[in-house]
Amino acid sequence: CGYPFALPPPAAPSPAGSQRRCKVGCGREVTAGLYKTGRPFSTCCRSCALGGVHRHDVECDHRSGIDEVMLVKVLEAKLTENLATFGLMDPFAKVHWITSSTSRQQVATTPVAWAGHMNPVWNYTCIGQPWAIASGVAEAELEFAVFERTFGDLSHTPCGTARVSLRKLL
């Protein structure tokens, strides 16, 4: 379902005195470089430059000392109950990365499998999640929750949830 891989060695450290922090407040060091106007960058990565609503990119993680990334691919589901009011179900899945009883982060939502009904197929690769293999295999888990997309997209009906330890996947 996923696999870790190592990134190339980090770039040489910045010269002393250039330890500016990202303006978004994530705490990471500002990336080296200049805007077209000649001003120095003020964020650590493109995600933060776009307002910090997305996860940091892999290069930003690497500069910050996070060298392993877990890729998760959501393939398919086998549902046991028809929850559609009429017609075929249009299921989608949400993936949560759980590292402790209080740390739960949604890392992906698959596209809707239109007319996927009881056997939806997504074949969807989630954004890589940074993690250190040595510190976190024992307690880290992935949770897959499948929902039926409802008419009008007002609310979604839960179809089922599965949770698996990363230790069992590796």
Side-chain angles (χ1 to χ4, degrees):
C1 209
Y3 57 91
F5 62 91
L7 296 173
S14 306
S18 66
Q19 297 281 330
R20 296 184 313 121
R21 298 290 170 198
C22 181
K23 73 176 185 179
V24 175
C26 68
R28 296 185 182 197
E29 185 179 339
V30 170
T31 192
L34 302 173
Y35 291 106
K36 290 180 182 178
T37 60
R39 291 182 301 122
F41 289 139
S42 57
T43 60
C44 61
C45 63
R46 182 165 172 77
S47 173
C48 282
L50 295 172
V53 295
H54 304 289
R55 236 191 45 60
H56 292 275
D57 57 35
V58 173
E59 292 83 14
C60 184
D61 290 336
H62 185 57
R63 284 190 307 273
S64 300
I66 300 170
D67 291 334
E68 287 108 13
V69 176
M70 173 68 74
L71 293 179
V72 177
K73 190 169 195 174
V74 182
L75 299 175
E76 62 187 4
K78 304 290 184 207
L79 304 176
T80 58
E81 185 178 349
N82 182 1
L83 300 173
T85 306
F86 57 92
L88 299 175
M89 290 197 302
D90 301 319
F92 67 95
K94 292 184 179 183
V95 181
H96 291 92
W97 181 268
I98 303 168
T99 54
S100 70
S101 61
T102 59
S103 176
R104 175 188 172 99
Q105 175 187 7
Q106 182 175 325
V107 296
T109 300
T110 67
V112 173
W114 297 106
H117 200 52
M118 304 292 282
N119 299 301
V121 175
W122 295 288
N123 202 19
Y124 179 78
T125 303
C126 306
I127 295 173
Q129 295 302 306
W131 76 314
I133 294 173
S135 66
V137 175
E139 69 276 356
E141 294 181 316
L142 284 175
E143 181 181 83
F144 302 89
V146 179
F147 297 87
E148 153 67 352
R149 183 185 174 276
T150 58
F151 182 75
D153 214 19
L154 300 175
S155 66
H156 305 295
T157 306
C159 297
T161 302
R163 188 183 282 197
V164 64
S165 167
L166 289 179
R167 177 174 287 192
K168 290 183 180 182
L169 296 177
L170 299 176

